[in-house]
Amino acid sequence: MEPKLVLALFLLISATATSEYVRPPTRKTLNLSWRSKSSSHPQQVHISLAGDNHMRVSWVTNDKSAASMVEYGTSPGRYSNIALGESTWYSYLFYSSGMIHHTVIGPLEDNTVYYYRCGGGGPEYKLKTPPAQFPVTFSVAGDLGQTGWTKSTLDHIDQCKYDVHLLPGDLSYADYMQHLWDTFGELVEPLASAKPWMVTQGNHERELIPFFKDSFESYNSRWKMPFEESGSSSNLYYSFEVAGAHIIMLGSYTDYDEYSDQYNWLKADLAERVNNGKLDPCGAVHITIGDGGNREGLAHKYKNPQPAWSVFREASFGHGELKLANSTHAFWSWHRNDDDEPVRSDQVWITSLVNSECAAEKKLGLRKILMEP
């Protein structure tokens, strides 16, 4: 069995800048008006990985009696399998959500196209499962929001031949305005209904009303991730397996100190951390990414002079692509939205340390410790 490549996406949703590149200004919020549909019509359809060879299908209906049922198969219009799931809804001040459905389908074949429909009717959707082994490609973009730059980013992601999308926080930028969760779901449905979207929370998902509403009720209700399948006690942090890679999604808006559940859960997945801000050729590579297209603009504050351990930094709207070529090599590239054309402004090959001198030195050190009286 080949060693698995472990990828940790830490929720540090900020970006930095270079003096050579000047980003155009932010774009206006998209005018995404609500469209009237029948009460049982599935809306805001999106899919996510849910354990080995399973997928979770999520959608919203206005009819609160609609069935949480998904029919699916490998041929258009022919559904050889049926799965039943669960549903929930929530109220937020004067807002009441539709019925939010979550249904897990599977087991599914790897690297296979499936056709499905939700609730026993409505349109047919098509999804593709990830491959069973390397290579596998992730698209990566956080801070999406609902602006003109968001649309540009989504268009570019749609052109990327990715298997799974990773969204490390700040999805809809609803910020207490609950209807923006609905328009965001409609905005991303063409992509999120076809390839799994794996997300985690940011500060813009935190909609706390003290003594009245929990911080992440809207997010947790709508975007259910495989936290239970990964042994986590919270939807705000989890891990999952895909094509030989182990992906860890952390949450910086829930407790993470050494006494917290998240810390203890993470210890089972990670044994090393950063080297106290010092350059370490045997350390982990950290990619901090955001700026998918939010309304706030770009984060320009960063540490000067540029530290030796900070190789590349740029404030620009766009998306990243991470291709895991095999168990030892990965290719990362950053694609900025330059006049609505995807421009690759950074790229790097990342090599695993599993078979490197670093790993050999660590094994030697451990052997020496074990041999000492």
Side-chain angles (χ1 to χ4, degrees):
M1 181 177 180
E2 286 189 324
K4 292 179 179 177
L5 185 63
V6 178
L7 171 66
L9 283 187
F10 296 91
L11 187 61
L12 302 174
I13 309 303
S14 61
T16 49
T18 58
S19 57
E20 297 85 3
Y21 182 75
V22 178
R23 180 77 251 160
T26 58
R27 289 181 174 176
K28 294 182 179 179
T29 299
L30 295 171
N31 182 19
L32 300 169
S33 58
W34 180 80
R35 293 174 293 172
S36 179
K37 297 178 180 179
S38 65
S39 60
S40 60
H41 189 94
Q43 305 172 48
Q44 307 171 47
V45 180
H46 60 269
I47 61 175
S48 56
L49 300 174
D52 293 341
N53 302 115
H54 286 75
M55 199 84 74
R56 177 174 284 106
V57 182
S58 302
W59 73 98
V60 178
T61 61
N62 294 328
D63 180 4
K64 294 191 175 181
S65 64
S68 301
M69 178 178 67
V70 174
E71 301 166 281
Y72 62 100
T74 55
S75 299
R78 298 178 63 183
Y79 311 117
S80 55
N81 299 281
I82 298 176
L84 298 176
E86 60 186 12
S87 61
T88 186
W89 68 280
Y90 71 94
S91 60
Y92 199 96
L93 298 178
F94 301 107
Y95 172 90
S96 180
S97 76
M99 187 59 69
I100 304 167
H101 306 267
H102 301 287
T103 299
V104 174
I105 63 174
L108 306 174
E109 296 293 326
D110 300 303
N111 203 30
T112 301
V113 173
Y114 284 87
Y115 300 86
Y116 68 99
R117 66 179 182 180
C118 307
E124 180 177 79
Y125 295 87
K126 181 172 70 173
L127 66 84
K128 186 177 182 182
T129 58
Q133 55 189 7
F134 301 123
V136 61
T137 300
F138 301 90
S139 62
V140 190
D143 300 287
L144 273 180
Q146 302 180 57
T147 72
W149 284 122
T150 310
K151 185 179 185 306
S152 180
T153 297
L154 293 175
D155 289 342
H156 295 158
I157 291 174
D158 197 26
Q159 297 171 26
C160 166
K161 295 181 179 179
Y162 70 100
D163 300 295
V164 178
H165 180 66
L166 304 178
L167 203 170
D170 291 347
L171 284 71
S172 68
Y173 279 71
D175 292 322
Y176 298 93
M177 295 177 286
Q178 295 302 299
H179 72 282
L180 292 180
W181 279 109
D182 296 312
T183 54
F184 178 78
E186 292 290 300
L187 175 64
V188 302
E189 181 186 275
L191 277 69
S193 63
K195 300 284 181 68
W197 276 40
M198 310 305 291
V199 309
T200 189
Q201 90 287 176
N203 62 302
H204 289 278
E205 278 71 65
R206 190 172 183 268
E207 300 174 308
L208 174 67
I209 301 179
F211 308 109
F212 186 67
K213 282 294 177 185
D214 293 335
S215 295
F216 298 102
E217 182 175 9
S218 307
Y219 168 81
N220 286 333
S221 297
R222 295 172 180 270
W223 292 84
K224 186 174 182 180
M225 294 292 111
F227 72 97
E228 294 170 318
E229 291 88 340
S230 65
S232 168
S233 61
S234 170
N235 193 48
L236 303 182
Y237 55 89
Y238 61 95
S239 64
F240 62 94
E241 308 274 341
V242 59
H246 184 70
I247 314 297
I248 301 171
M249 306 289 277
L250 299 180
S252 58
Y253 291 90
T254 187
D255 291 341
Y256 51 81
D257 61 39
E258 61 180 317
Y259 305 106
S260 67
D261 290 340
Q262 180 171 201
Y263 180 88
N264 291 322
W265 170 83
L266 180 61
K267 283 199 301 183
D269 280 290
L270 282 181
E272 301 291 336
R273 307 305 284 242
V274 293
N275 189 30
N276 296 320
K278 298 178 182 178
L279 184 64
D280 183 359
C282 294
V285 175
H286 294 257
I287 299 171
T288 303
I289 181 173
D291 297 329
N294 67 80
R295 66 171 181 270
E296 295 180 316
L298 296 157
H300 293 282
K301 295 181 181 180
Y302 54 97
K303 188 174 183 178
N304 276 316
Q306 184 169 339
W309 48 262
S310 180
V311 180
F312 176 86
R313 49 194 194 177
E314 175 182 282
S316 60
F317 289 115
H319 76 282
E321 296 178 15
L322 179 67
K323 181 176 182 178
L324 307 185
N326 50 49
S327 63
T328 59
H329 291 79
F331 182 72
W332 165 260
S333 57
W334 169 250
H335 303 254
R336 73 164 77 112
N337 298 345
D338 196 12
D339 296 327
D340 288 326
E341 294 297 325
V343 176
R344 182 185 294 176
S345 62
D346 182 47
Q347 61 185 43
V348 62
W349 278 98
I350 302 171
T351 304
S352 171
L353 301 176
V354 171
N355 298 315
S356 68
E357 293 181 1
C358 297
E361 290 175 0
K362 289 185 178 181
K363 289 180 181 178
L364 180 61
L366 178 60
R367 188 176 298 116
K368 181 180 179 182
I369 292 173
L370 292 175
M371 292 176 63
E372 287 178 349

